[in-house]
Amino acid sequence: TYCMDMDMSCTDVAVTDVRMLMAKNGANGAKWQWTDAGWGGDWLGLNDAKKQKHLFNGVKTAYLAHGPCLTEVKYDGAYGSQREVNFDSTVRTLRTDDYARTFTTLSYTFDKKTSAEGWLFKMGRTGGYVTPKVAYGNVNGLLKEQAVPLNLKRGEAYLKKTTLSGQGPWWVSFPGAYHDSDRDWGTGYRAMVIRSYKAVIGGKEYLNPTIECPVYWVNKEKKASLDFLLTAPEGVTEFGPGDQVSLDLEWITLHRHTDDYYGPNKSYRQHLTALPSSWQTTYREAKGNDLKISVDGGVVKNNYPIIIHAAKPEVAVTIKGGVGYVPIRFEGLASAHGYELYQRINGQDQKLDQTVHGNDFWQTDYDAQAKTYKITYNLPLDGLAESLWILKKAPIKQPVTEITPV
């Protein structure tokens, strides 16, 4: 669903491909075929004094978790031949049954004066793809939806630099987008949720993101494909030593209507039936997974995906909100075994059991630095306004002593 090429062996961008999850070409389309939700994207896209793009320099990669519940890969390094910009990042994907999500946290630290013309993150550069609408908003809903007109020219900034107002999470969506070909495979549209944003430039703090949507491609019918750029704040023309930008982003790919989706998630299917090709699908994810977490017996390290550092043998987590299967990871555990997760329903603790082929619904990873373990689950939170989950030590099974008759 999401391909990266940090060596840039295929192209000159970091995100090389993005695909749909459980998508088909209409009611009669085949399952498990190729899908399309627009092409890839990029991380930092700034140029040097010779108008050449700053490329990766000295990147180190650490595969910390391979899944299936929650993957985690860290990338640290720099941009530019003189290491003008240092960065550190974490990329995660999850196990789910509705639509693909990729979580990216990025932190840029500027060591040398650098032009701010370009982008901090990019979604797009896609030929053969049509984006008929662009919509954007914040935690309270829609700020603006625009139909993309005909007769735009490639390179034209259709949506010029715009700072998203209000409180986050902010979001940008291209509802109803489709590939402009006769390929018989599933097609859908991409969207971005900006969970948090902070820039400190020249000593000034910016807490609202600035976006731009230029035209990348136009077909024979004059229908355009827009890119999405997360840019430097309005009025900022260069970064200086000590400037920093921190981003927490979620890239999602969404089905246009029910006939394109063959997954089992009833809540998502009902939403698609009621609101096909709608900005409200993106807002549903942005608002619904703006989780409020409280913990007894541990510390919250991240709200979404949920990451908890366990401080006691029993950890109780109260969650307000949730859309889809939400990853929850408990860190700092003394053992890889002997834990079970329960949901408290009407005062009764019910063990989470998503077994299909035996013990196959949870994930354990070893933290070599801390010499502790992490256990990850995926919580079915659709339709739950609030839920309580408790990680407990599993009951010790007493061995059966066989008595031999004398």
Side-chain angles (χ1 to χ4, degrees):
T1 55
Y2 195 89
C3 304
M4 296 188 63
D5 183 11
M6 304 302 284
D7 295 328
M8 293 191 173
S9 56
C10 298
T11 183
D12 62 347
V13 293
V15 183
T16 60
D17 212 353
V18 177
R19 301 288 174 176
M20 299 287 292
L21 183 66
M22 290 178 285
K24 56 188 176 70
N25 187 18
N28 299 318
K31 300 178 181 180
W32 306 111
Q33 302 297 309
W34 281 101
T35 64
D36 194 351
W39 191 64
D42 200 12
W43 291 6
L44 192 69
L46 303 179
N47 294 332
D48 61 19
K50 297 180 180 179
K51 302 297 182 181
Q52 299 296 311
K53 181 182 177 181
H54 288 299
L55 299 177
F56 287 127
N57 186 344
V59 176
K60 301 295 184 183
T61 301
Y63 291 86
L64 302 179
H66 293 271
C69 299
L70 184 67
T71 69
E72 182 168 291
V73 185
K74 281 189 63 63
Y75 303 98
D76 295 343
Y79 278 91
S81 60
Q82 304 302 311
R83 302 181 71 91
E84 284 87 344
V85 188
N86 290 309
F87 77 91
D88 60 78
S89 64
T90 302
V91 182
R92 303 181 178 103
T93 60
L94 78 170
R95 177 173 73 96
T96 188
D97 69 348
D98 48 8
Y99 48 87
R101 302 165 177 84
T102 301
F103 310 102
T104 302
T105 60
L106 271 165
S107 178
Y108 301 121
T109 301
F110 295 82
D111 282 350
K112 295 179 175 61
K113 187 179 293 186
T114 309
S115 170
E117 183 180 354
W119 55 85
L120 303 171
F121 196 95
K122 182 175 186 175
M123 173 185 279
R125 201 174 88 170
T126 309
Y129 191 66
V130 177
T131 54
K133 294 180 180 180
V134 57
Y136 52 92
N138 57 28
V139 71
N140 294 316
L142 180 70
L143 289 173
K144 195 167 186 179
E145 181 178 33
Q146 299 172 232
V148 178
L150 302 179
N151 298 315
L152 294 175
K153 297 180 180 179
R154 183 171 179 175
E156 179 180 348
Y158 168 63
L159 178 64
K160 295 180 172 60
K161 278 197 172 188
T162 301
T163 299
L164 301 182
S165 62
Q167 297 296 312
W170 304 270
W171 52 271
V172 180
S173 183
F174 297 93
Y178 60 93
H179 63 70
D180 182 42
S181 74
D182 57 359
R183 292 176 294 195
D184 187 20
W185 62 30
T187 182
Y189 62 98
R190 60 195 178 216
M192 178 69 71
V193 180
I194 305 168
R195 293 274 167 202
S196 67
Y197 171 90
K198 181 180 179 180
V200 179
I201 304 168
K204 183 178 179 179
E205 189 174 77
Y206 301 84
L207 298 178
N208 286 68
T210 300
I211 66 169
E212 185 176 353
C213 290
V215 178
Y216 177 73
W217 177 84
V218 181
N219 70 4
K220 294 180 180 179
E221 286 76 37
K222 306 297 183 182
K223 297 176 182 178
S225 170
L226 297 184
D227 286 346
F228 159 74
L229 308 183
L230 184 58
T231 72
E234 294 181 76
V236 172
T237 58
E238 67 177 19
F239 297 104
D243 290 348
Q244 291 184 313
V245 179
S246 298
L247 312 171
D248 186 354
L249 309 173
E250 181 188 355
W251 186 315
I252 59 178
T253 54
L254 300 166
H255 306 78
R256 295 171 302 161
H257 42 71
T258 308
D259 285 345
D260 286 345
Y261 171 64
Y262 63 83
N265 190 296
K266 294 180 181 179
S267 178
Y268 181 51
R269 184 177 296 280
Q270 290 170 357
H271 173 86
L272 286 176
T273 301
L275 295 164
S277 294
S278 171
W279 60 264
Q280 294 197 51
T281 310
T282 304
Y283 179 59
R284 173 179 179 264
E285 171 68 22
K287 175 71 172 178
N289 280 326
D290 183 27
L291 306 175
K292 310 304 178 188
I293 312 292
S294 59
V295 178
D296 183 14
V299 177
V300 180
K301 295 180 65 177
N302 198 72
N303 276 41
Y304 184 61
I306 303 170
I307 301 176
I308 307 293
H309 180 82
K312 297 180 180 179
E314 185 170 305
V315 184
V317 184
T318 301
I319 304 170
K320 292 184 179 180
V323 172
Y325 279 83
V326 173
I328 184 168
R329 187 171 79 199
F330 296 92
E331 300 183 346
L333 303 177
S335 171
H337 306 286
Y339 294 93
E340 292 176 343
L341 186 64
Y342 295 82
Q343 182 183 6
R344 183 161 293 173
I345 303 174
N346 298 324
Q348 301 295 316
D349 291 348
Q350 298 186 13
K351 182 181 174 182
L352 179 69
D353 187 355
Q354 299 166 336
T355 300
V356 177
H357 301 290
N359 240 350
D360 59 356
F361 64 93
W362 50 268
Q363 167 190 329
T364 302
D365 297 288
Y366 180 60
D367 186 333
Q369 186 175 10
K371 297 182 180 179
T372 57
Y373 293 87
K374 310 172 186 179
I375 296 181
T376 307
Y377 304 89
N378 300 93
L379 306 181
L381 298 187
D382 277 322
L384 299 179
E386 183 173 317
S387 57
L388 173 59
W389 303 84
I390 305 170
L391 184 74
K392 302 180 182 182
K393 294 288 289 185
I396 299 174
K397 297 181 179 180
Q398 297 296 330
V400 176
T401 303
E402 187 173 306
I403 301 174
T404 303
V406 177

